[in-house]
Structures are given as structure tokens and as C-alpha cells.
Amino acid sequence: MPDIVLHQFRASHFNDKVRWALAWKGLKHKRISYLPGLHARPMQEMSGQRQTPVLVIDGKAIAGTSAIIAALEALKPAPPLYPADAALRAQALAIEKRFDDDIGPATRSIVFGVLVDELDYMVRLFGHGEKWLKRFIYRRAVPRAVPMVRRLNGVNSANIARSEKLVAEALDWIAAETKAKPYLVGDAFSVADLAAAALMSPLCVLDHPDMCPRPPVPKAMADLHARYADHPGMKWVQARYRDNRPADPQ
Ligand SMILES: N[C@@H](CCC(=O)N[C@@H](CS)C(=O)NCC(=O)O)C(=O)O
């Protein structure tokens, strides 16, 4: 078995996209978690860019979730995430790209629009599992980082309005595409479903241990989840987590 290490943020939908792909492939791996802000230098040194996730396979670092999934598909083709048929594969990869480029960042802007005013919750989401003292020091430092958090995550009224529109369109699109069948492309779960579900996931309540709420949940976050809860597109996201996300390999 290859040696696989995932360098990750805990509460992050792009990171969950890779955790899901690793679970789907049944690939055992080690996880190293970072608190946002403390991640940039190690990611840069490892992969030449600052974002998480970075996956290291037998010493080779790969950044970018689509490149990581391509590498996992090459490493362990079965069970597949790419459809075998070339036309369906192109369709699935185009959907993955749309969610990577537009919807994932939009989801993040909406959620951080709440989190910048709920710093205790933000630290619980990203810091659960850390030692108490590290969380305490981080919580004291976070207020100074809020302007940067706003900038990096597009938290401004114009971008949040644009993001809400993109997310509403994506949810309607998912609902229409999956009215008569569970999957976005063909008749099997693929990278399209994985990307769409993972990158919408922060807008709904999940019971998966990697993406569940960290109580107490502030009212503003509960209200955000409630806003989308009844949408058939969001129910589809929850169904994919329930039906197509295998347990992590032990
Ligand atoms: N397109 C990238 C997006 C990754 C991404 O946005 N990562 C975020 C976490 S969700 C991050 O590391 N943000 C911190 C930063 O930009 O420094 C991918 O597919 O991996």
C-alpha cells in the first residue's frame, strides 16, 4: 500500500471532497490538521502554493482537489470515480470544474459571512481535536485576523449576494437533474456527485463525523441551514452523504 498523508483543514468542504474520495477508494491514510493561518507556510513549502488540501503520496505532494482525485483514480482505478464512457467522463469533469471554480467558493463566502461574527463557533469548527491550550491561544488571536478572513473568503455584501444567486441556481439545477435518478451523470455515482455534494455541504446539517456541527450552534448558523433545509437539491446532498460515502478505512 502507498504511504498517503492528507494535510488538511478539519471543517472544510474542499478538504472533505478529498476525504470522501479517499474513503470511496478505501485508501488508508494519515491526516495532519492545521488551523487556518498556520497552514500557509507548510503548504507553500510542501506544494508551492498555500491552500489545503495537499495530499502526499509516497513523498510526492499534490495540491488542488481535482488533481488529487485524478491521482487517486490512477493509483486505484476501482471503484471508479470517473465514468468509463469518454463522453460521460467529460460531462462529469465539467461538473466537477463548475463546482470547484464557482459553487465551492460561493458556498464558502456565504458560510464565512456568518462565521466572521461567530468566532467561538469558527474556532470550534476548525479547532476541535486540538489541545485546549492551542485552541485558547488561537481564539485570542483570531479577532485580529478577521479582515484577512473576510478578504480571502469574499465576505462583502456584493459577493455574498452573487454567491447566494449562484448557490440557488446550483440547487435548482441539482434538483432538476436528479428528479428521476440519483446521480448527475449516467447511472452511477461519480466525481460529479462527489464534488457537488461535498462543495454544497457546509450549507446543510450532516451527521458525518468530518462535517457535523460542533455545538452549541449559533442561531445565525442554524438560520442559514434552515434557509436551505427544505430544498430538494439540499436533500440530495444529504442523501449522497448518507448513501454514497463509505466509512473511512481503518
Ligand atoms: N481549488 C482548490 C481550492 C482549495 C481551497 O479553497 N482551500 C481552502 C480551504 S476550503 C484554503 O486552503 N484556504 C486558505 C487559503 O486560501 O490560504 C482545490 O480544489 O483544492
Side-chain angles (χ1 to χ4, degrees):
M1 280 297 273
D3 180 52
I4 303 179
V5 184
L6 174 64
H7 296 265
Q8 66 163 9
F9 286 162
R10 294 177 176 87
S12 153
H13 54 348
F14 277 102
N15 285 271
D16 210 48
K17 193 181 156 203
V18 168
R19 291 190 289 257
W20 192 337
L22 286 162
W24 180 259
K25 298 283 182 189
L27 287 166
K28 275 193 189 179
H29 58 281
K30 179 177 167 195
R31 293 179 185 175
I32 299 179
S33 299
Y34 298 80
L35 291 168
L38 305 181
H39 70 290
R41 184 189 280 184
M43 294 315 117
Q44 192 74 44
E45 286 172 359
M46 229 180 315
S47 67
Q49 59 84 57
R50 58 175 282 163
Q51 291 189 313
T52 63
V54 170
L55 193 71
V56 181
I57 305 177
D58 287 335
K60 180 170 178 269
I62 309 164
T65 55
S66 60
I68 291 172
I69 290 181
L72 294 178
E73 193 74 4
L75 181 70
K76 192 164 185 279
L81 279 168
Y82 290 175
D85 175 83
L88 292 183
R89 187 161 64 245
Q91 204 183 323
L93 291 173
I95 293 171
E96 182 192 27
K97 185 165 168 44
R98 172 184 173 201
F99 278 84
D100 283 357
D101 291 353
D102 297 333
I103 312 300
T107 304
R108 184 171 49 209
S109 297
I110 295 169
V111 170
F112 271 94
V114 171
L115 291 180
V116 290
D117 294 320
E118 300 290 351
L119 298 183
D120 286 343
Y121 193 61
M122 184 166 99
V123 171
R124 273 205 301 287
L125 279 181
F126 287 96
H128 69 89
E130 290 288 357
K131 290 205 166 64
W132 178 85
L133 184 60
K134 189 167 178 185
R135 270 206 335 256
F136 178 78
I137 295 169
Y138 189 70
R139 176 64 186 87
R140 298 277 296 246
V142 148
R144 270 176 284 135
V146 166
M148 188 175 75
V149 173
R150 284 182 178 276
R151 189 168 42 75
L152 284 178
N153 295 293
V155 179
N156 61 72
S157 51
N159 189 52
I160 289 183
R162 180 186 152 274
S163 299
E164 286 174 345
K165 186 166 175 291
L166 281 175
V167 161
E169 286 165 3
L171 283 174
D172 289 348
W173 177 79
I174 289 173
E177 292 293 311
T178 60
K179 210 171 176 131
K181 60 185 182 73
Y183 303 120
L184 291 169
V185 175
D187 55 7
F189 183 78
S190 76
V191 68
D193 304 294
L194 190 158
L199 296 177
M200 302 293 277
S201 67
L203 294 173
C204 68
V205 177
L206 295 167
D207 62 6
H208 191 279
D210 287 334
M211 292 301 277
C212 59
R214 304 287 160 191
V217 177
K219 182 176 180 311
M221 186 56 73
D223 288 349
L224 178 65
H225 288 149
R227 195 196 306 169
Y228 294 104
D230 293 331
H231 196 293
M234 204 51 94
K235 291 192 184 301
W236 177 90
V237 169
Q238 290 166 314
R240 298 288 64 78
Y241 268 83
R242 188 188 62 227
D243 298 343
N244 301 105
R245 172 106 180 221
D248 292 326
Q250 295 304 314

